[in-house]
């Protein structure tokens, strides 16, 4: 078990290093000289040469990589010339919004998928099952930005149930004291109920919009797995002991059906935490999405690079957690050799 | 042995020593072709301590019969008629909640495939304790102690240490022992064993069966053994019910069923048992054709198309044979064949 865990941690680290190399190289291949970009096309050759030397562009690429990575680990994530700020404070200001939205979208996707999959398979009612399957196809098929716009038109403009696209809080509500940057969490910790309610209310529509497609995906998977497991003889045996249908489902079917879904859920969580530019745009969400796309358009790659590296890191951490959770559920993963 | 057979036919009143009494049980599964009649009017009695075999090919309705008695037929299946009486009380038509108090306590199931019959992500101990705690107000610790005791009883070595193992750490035979421990945990009066040894190798089969026989005796359970393995029937059971296309086509004591089968299907079934001394003479005999589609039960005898006796006779094709009672060597035999009498007296038309 310990050996397995250690080997997973090592391979996770290798994955992060690999991702950092690839992202670094890809952005170096882009056909532009950063020094020219920073100084503008009318800069003198001398000025360009000076800057090239100053930021180390003439050094071998591996040295550049090493400088970048060692700086990154020390907390120096580079400097955005187009925005005139260091990348760390830029992302630090925007990432919490993206992460908070991603977490809520994930909770919506996961809980929604779980409840609907149980509903579809628990009693095997064809009508309910058909409805749930239709819902999963809709979730997968509807373009999120369109759904976001429609939800705003209907539920915000039309019925006024939810706030409009005005970011994370109403303009009249002060953000809670900054601890994690996740407004709902900070508000909860500081007991700031007004900010908590408002932040939560602002999260509903964006989180559903962002979580809809992953919900459809997880729902399909979990439904199929639950159906498979519900045909397993061990459930019949559990029922023959006098255990109720619901207990048999919750105690025996669900953990078994969960295993394959867990891996997929990890991927989904990683993806959601990295955010969605379109959904952030629709809801005017002050997340990292716009920062990164602007960085790409302006060829200001320090932000993009830092973002890619952080995303890779999140993916790897989440997958590591998934592996640990799987091992906690399934004894066969903990001890792969079997007797008999 | 099979005096009950007569009473079943008459639908007699339940007697004191009857553990289980089934009358005209009917179970259907809805399908695109219409209702599939898996169990078509099955009646039988099981006395205290009796061991009854239900034999037949795959798909003849044996397992559906077992699940119908347990009240565990799932949609699209449905018990559409008949009565099941356990320990003198009618249990067919009870709500699932009421049946939950009976399952695992008064009646239990040993399932055919021990490899898939246990939850792979729960420990052996917790799966035994589950049935103990369901039916008795005992603490976790007491249930655990009882689980150790049960594992010892089914002769799992190092029971206390192996309690926290998972099913994949047990061999097939050991898992079946665990199944038996679960089934007998609350001393049920009725044990339904659905192909309990099919998935095991021959040596293990014999050991498990031997254990089952001893424990059933000790716990005072009556047994319905569902199987297609006629070898274990002869060894283990008192009486035989041969099931074909959802009905019992022959009911007899174990001696009569083997020595002088009345129904042609029983005879064919016996003839297809591999015998080592005959193997050198060619391929195993088999019954030609397939059982009828249970969604479209033919008029007449369901075995007619495969029968070496009836072959195309008008009466076999058009009239469903009633239960005919003939005298066997060790008691009455009931067979659903138009030629039961002739076959019994050796004058059957060839």
């Amino acid at each position: 078990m310990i050996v397995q865990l250690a080997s997973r941690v090592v391979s996770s680290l290798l994955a992060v290093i690999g991702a950092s190399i690839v992202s670094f190289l890809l952005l170096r291949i882009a056909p532009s000289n950063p020094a020219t970009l920073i100084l503008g096309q009318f800069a003198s050759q001398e000025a360009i040469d000076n800057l090239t030397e100053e930021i180390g562009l003439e050094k071998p690429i591996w040295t550049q990589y090493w400088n970048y990575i060692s700086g990154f680990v020390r907390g120096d994530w580079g400097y955005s010339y187009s925005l005139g700020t260091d990348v760390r404070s830029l992302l630090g200001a925007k990432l919490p919004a993206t992460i908070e939205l991603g977490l809520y979208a994930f909770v919506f996707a996961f809980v929604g998928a779980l409840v609907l999959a149980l509903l579809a398979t628990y009693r095997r009612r064809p009508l309910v099952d058909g409805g749930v399957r239709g819902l999963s196809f809709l979730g997968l098929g509807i373009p999120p930005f369109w759904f976001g716009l429609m939800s705003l038109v209907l539920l915000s403009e039309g019925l006024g149930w939810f706030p409009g696209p005005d970011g994370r809080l109403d303009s009249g509500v002060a953000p809670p004291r900054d601890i994690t940057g996740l407004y709902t969490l900070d508000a909860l910790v500081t007991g700031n109920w007004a900010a908590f309610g408002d932040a939560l209310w602002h999260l509903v529509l964006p989180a559903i919009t962002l979580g809809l497609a992953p919900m459809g995906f997880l729902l399909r998977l979990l439904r199929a797995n639950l159906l498979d497991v519900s045909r397993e003889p061990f459930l019949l045996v559990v029922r023959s002991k006098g255990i109720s249908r619901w207990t048999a489902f919750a105690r025996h079917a669900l953990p078994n059906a969960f295993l394959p879904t867990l891996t997929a859920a990890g991927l989904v969580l990683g993806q959601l935490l990295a955010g969605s530019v379109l959904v952030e745009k629709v809801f005017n969400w002050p997340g990292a999405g716009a920062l990164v796309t602007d960085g790409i358009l302006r060829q200001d790659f320090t932000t993009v690079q830092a973002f890619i590296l952080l995303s890779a890191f999140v993916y790897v951490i989440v997958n590591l957690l998934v592996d640990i959770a799987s091992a906690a559920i399934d004894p066969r993963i903990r001890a792969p050799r079997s007797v008999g | 042995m099979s005096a009950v057979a007569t009473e079943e036919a008459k639908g007699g009143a339940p007697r004191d020593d009857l553990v289980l009494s089934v009358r005209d049980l009917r179970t259907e599964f809805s399908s695109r072709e219409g209702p599939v009649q898996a169990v078509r009017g099955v009646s039988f009695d099981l006395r205290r301590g009796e061991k009854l075999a239900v034999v037949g090919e795959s798909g003849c309705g044996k397992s559906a019969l077992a699940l119908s008695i347990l009240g565990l037929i799932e949609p699209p299946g449905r018990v559409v008629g008949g009565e099941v009486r356990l320990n003198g009380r009618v249990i067919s038509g009870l709500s699932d909640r009421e049946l939950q108090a009976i399952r695992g306590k008064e009646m239990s199931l040993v399932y055919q495939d021990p490899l898939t019959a246990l939850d792979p992500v729960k420990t052996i101990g917790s799966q035994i304790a589950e049935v103990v705690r369901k039916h008795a107000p005992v603490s976790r610790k007491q249930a655990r102690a009882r689980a150790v005791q049960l594992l010892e009883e089914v002769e799992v070595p190092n029971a206390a240490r192996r309690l926290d193992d998972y099913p994949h750490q047990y061999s097939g035979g050991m898992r079946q022992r665990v199944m038996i421990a679960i089934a007998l945990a609350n001393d049920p009066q009725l044990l339904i064993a659905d192909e309990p040894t099919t998935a095991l190798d021959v040596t293990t089969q014999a050991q498990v069966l031997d254990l089952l026989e001893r424990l059933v005796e000790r716990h005072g359970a009556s047994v319905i053994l569902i199987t297609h393995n006629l070898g274990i029937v002869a060894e283990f059971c008192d009486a035989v019910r041969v099931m074909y296309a959802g009905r019992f086509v022959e009911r007899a004591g174990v001696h009569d069923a083997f020595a002088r089968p009345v129904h042609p299907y029983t005879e064919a079934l016996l003839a297809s048992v591999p015998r080592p001394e005959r193997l050198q003479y060619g391929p195993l005999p088999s019954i030609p054709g397939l059982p009828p589609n249970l969604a479209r039960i033919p008029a007449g005898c369901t075995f007619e198309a495969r029968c070496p006796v009836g072959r195309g006779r008008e009466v076999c094709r058009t009239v469903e044979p009633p239960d005919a009672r003939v005298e066997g060597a060790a008691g009455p035999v009931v067979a659903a064949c138009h030629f039961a009498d002739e076959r019994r007296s050796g004058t059957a038309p060839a």
Side-chain angles (χ1 to χ4, degrees), chain A residues 7-21 65 316:
Chain A
S7 84
R8 281 298 287 123
V9 171
V10 169
S11 66
S12 302
L13 266 176
L14 287 177
V16 170
I17 293 171
S20 70
I21 292 176
Y65 173 74
V316 165

Side-chain angles (χ1 to χ4, degrees), chain B residues 266-327:
Chain B
T266 314
E267 189 176 7
L269 214 53
L270 282 169
S272 55
V273 173
R275 278 163 220 249
E277 69 272 17
R278 281 201 211 143
L279 277 181
Q280 52 181 315
Y281 299 119
L284 283 174
S286 63
I287 308 176
L290 290 170
N293 179 349
L294 292 176
R296 285 192 228 114
I297 306 270
C301 176
T302 48
F303 190 58
E304 188 270 334
R306 306 167 78 184
C307 183
V309 177
R311 260 188 203 276
R313 278 169 213 275
E314 181 72 18
V315 62
C316 295
R317 275 192 290 111
T318 53
V319 181
E320 179 156 27
D323 287 337
R325 183 167 178 243
V326 296
E327 281 309 316

Side-chain angles (χ1 to χ4, degrees), chain A residues 67-93:
Chain A
N67 288 341
Y68 177 72
I69 283 297
S70 53
F72 196 92
V73 173
R74 283 195 308 268
D76 172 16
W77 294 2
Y79 188 83
S80 166
Y81 288 93
S82 67
L83 295 170
T85 333
D86 67 296
V87 171
R88 191 161 164 220
S89 49
L90 268 177
L91 281 175

Side-chain angles (χ1 to χ4, degrees), chain A residues 4-286:
Chain A
Q4 277 173 300
L5 190 64
S7 84
R8 281 298 287 123
V9 171
V10 169
S11 66
S12 302
L13 266 176
L14 287 177
V16 170
I17 293 171
S20 70
I21 292 176
V22 169
S23 71
F24 187 83
L25 289 182
L26 275 180
L27 296 179
R28 286 307 125 119
I29 290 168
S32 57
N33 182 349
T36 323
L37 279 169
I38 293 163
L39 295 172
Q41 43 184 318
F42 301 114
S44 67
Q45 187 59 42
E46 194 191 346
I48 291 175
D49 287 347
N50 281 342
L51 187 65
T52 304
E53 200 178 325
E54 189 192 320
I55 57 181
L57 282 174
E58 86 294 348
K59 290 184 185 140
I61 193 137
W62 294 115
T63 316
Q64 291 185 41
Y65 173 74
W66 176 249
N67 288 341
Y68 177 72
I69 283 297
S70 53
F72 196 92
V73 173
R74 283 195 308 268
D76 172 16
W77 294 2
Y79 188 83
S80 166
Y81 288 93
S82 67
L83 295 170
T85 333
D86 67 296
V87 171
R88 191 161 164 220
S89 49
L90 268 177
L91 281 175
K94 301 278 188 181
L95 268 181
T98 294
I99 290 173
E100 186 171 37
L101 178 57
L103 282 177
Y104 277 84
F106 178 74
V107 169
F108 165 74
F110 196 73
V111 173
L114 193 65
V115 170
L116 287 172
L118 278 175
L119 207 65
T121 50
Y122 176 54
R123 285 280 186 196
R124 298 188 200 172
R125 267 174 276 196
L127 231 110
V128 178
D129 190 32
V132 166
R133 272 166 64 198
L135 215 63
S136 84
F137 282 123
L138 276 182
L140 282 171
I142 291 181
F145 69 90
W146 181 85
F147 181 86
L149 285 174
M150 284 301 119
S151 72
L152 280 174
V153 169
L154 287 176
L155 301 176
S156 172
E157 298 291 311
L159 296 164
W161 292 351
F162 292 98
D166 51 0
R168 303 172 77 183
L169 287 173
D170 255 0
S171 48
V173 179
R177 194 154 57 84
D178 187 26
I179 302 168
T180 60
L182 311 182
Y183 281 1
T184 47
L185 190 64
D186 291 350
L188 210 58
V189 170
T190 54
N192 185 348
W193 301 113
F196 177 75
D198 196 57
L200 201 62
W201 218 225
H202 276 78
L203 272 164
V204 173
L205 290 184
I208 291 177
T209 305
L210 185 58
L212 202 62
M215 188 202 72
F217 171 65
L218 290 179
L219 175 55
R220 280 191 60 170
L221 209 64
L222 196 55
R223 178 189 162 273
N225 291 331
L226 268 174
L227 269 185
D228 276 354
V229 173
S230 68
R231 292 192 199 100
E232 288 279 345
F234 67 76
L235 276 184
L236 188 72
V237 171
V238 168
R239 293 274 286 137
S240 82
K241 298 186 204 170
I243 305 300
S244 76
R245 180 198 287 272
W246 175 251
T247 310
F249 231 74
R251 201 186 285 165
H252 297 279
L254 209 52
N256 279 283
F258 231 69
L259 284 166
T261 318
L262 209 56
T263 313
L267 292 176
V268 164
L269 178 60
Q271 201 182 342
L272 287 176
L273 288 179
S276 153
V277 180
L278 279 175
V279 172
E280 286 185 1
K281 205 103 201 162
V282 168
F283 289 95
N284 224 345
W285 199 258

Side-chain angles (χ1 to χ4, degrees), chain A residues 241-242 251-252 256 334, chain B residues 119 122 127 130 134-135:
Chain A
K241 298 186 204 170
R251 201 186 285 165
H252 297 279
N256 279 283
R334 294 202 290 277
Chain B
D119 184 341
K122 295 278 172 356
Q127 298 190 56
E130 187 174 39
K134 167 74 194 180
H135 298 285

